[in-house]
Amino acid sequence: MKIYLLRHASTQFNSEKSPSEWYLSLKGEKQAENIIKLNLIPKVDKIICSTELKTRLTINHYAKFYQLPIYENIRFNEVGSVHLPIDLTLFQQFRKQCFMNFDLHLSINDDESFKKAYYRFQSGISEYTNFGYRSILIVSHGCILSIFFAMLSEISDNGELIHNNWLNLPFCALGIIENKKIIKLLS
């Protein structure tokens, strides 16, 4: 089984809404269109995205092109984004602390550590690998995908490296897992 893991396209910052409600920016809309134009991902058996709007908007063109339905699954949502401050500097500081310690919780209001988020994400993948699909596409978010690949690569103890990878992770970054092994790192 081959699993394509895609980070959502670039979003339009809106301080009046939760990040889970943000739309794609103009650049993000072009990135979403390029998934098809550049043939970045071959046709898959199933498309799953997080419940956050930006993931669905990222994959709409692809789904229409291949005439595939899009399924949403909360297990692929971003880690702790509901309780994080909108201020970018504070956001990055919170994230860095958690990359340094996967057992740390982002805030008093949040009961999910990065390690728990990894297990949530992994259980979502397991749910679909048991159905006999040859290939699936999961559209998710930068931080949770960075955590997932760090755990698979067995580098979760190198918080500085994971944090830097996350900071430099482009929108629409793609990673590929085949038969439970990384064949393309998230980039």
Side-chain angles (χ1 to χ4, degrees):
M1 170 181 233
K2 194 177 271 191
I3 304 169
Y4 297 88
L5 296 145
L6 181 71
R7 182 185 187 193
H8 64 80
S10 178
T11 55
Q12 181 62 50
F13 178 82
N14 183 343
S15 63
E16 296 175 11
K17 291 187 176 191
S18 163
S20 65
E21 299 174 40
W22 289 356
Y23 285 87
L24 298 183
S25 65
L26 291 176
K27 181 180 179 181
E29 289 174 18
K30 294 221 179 286
Q31 291 168 334
E33 291 171 5
N34 282 340
I35 294 168
I36 288 297
K37 286 181 182 175
L38 302 176
N39 196 26
L40 297 179
I41 303 167
K43 184 178 181 183
V44 296
D45 296 329
K46 189 164 191 99
I47 302 170
I48 309 111
C49 66
S50 83
T51 62
E52 297 186 36
L53 179 62
K54 56 193 155 210
T55 60
R56 178 174 277 282
L57 294 174
T58 296
I59 209 60
N60 272 342
H61 295 289
Y62 177 93
K64 286 178 186 173
F65 183 82
Y66 286 115
Q67 298 179 358
L68 293 168
I70 301 172
Y71 298 89
E72 292 184 358
N73 189 319
I74 197 167
R75 290 183 181 140
F76 301 122
N77 283 15
E78 184 62 289
V79 58
S81 59
V82 174
H83 302 294
L84 288 177
I86 296 298
D87 178 85
L88 183 60
T89 304
L90 285 176
F91 174 77
Q92 290 177 348
Q93 288 172 354
F94 276 120
R95 289 288 200 224
K96 184 172 186 176
Q97 290 171 6
C98 293
F99 280 122
M100 301 305 282
N101 178 356
F102 271 33
D103 290 314
L104 188 66
H105 292 251
L106 289 168
S107 72
I108 299 169
N109 303 322
D110 193 359
D111 65 350
E112 186 175 55
S113 65
F114 276 20
K115 190 178 282 182
K116 284 183 181 178
Y118 164 76
Y119 289 119
R120 166 179 52 85
F121 193 90
Q122 179 60 44
S123 72
I125 288 178
S126 295
E127 176 183 334
Y128 293 101
T129 57
N130 295 329
F131 286 106
Y133 298 114
R134 289 181 317 242
S135 60
I136 60 174
L137 168 58
I138 297 171
V139 186
S140 192
H141 307 272
C143 188
I144 189 66
L145 287 170
S146 295
I147 294 165
F148 178 73
F149 275 90
M151 294 292 276
L152 283 183
S153 303
E154 298 180 357
I155 61 164
S156 61
D157 59 343
N158 190 340
E160 195 72 40
L161 174 64
I162 304 163
H163 179 253
N164 287 334
N165 288 345
W166 169 69
L167 283 176
N168 295 303
L169 189 65
F171 289 103
C172 285
L174 177 67
I176 304 171
I177 309 293
E178 187 168 19
N179 299 323
K180 300 181 181 181
K181 293 187 192 272
I182 299 171
I183 61 170
K184 181 186 183 309
L185 283 172
L186 190 63
S187 61

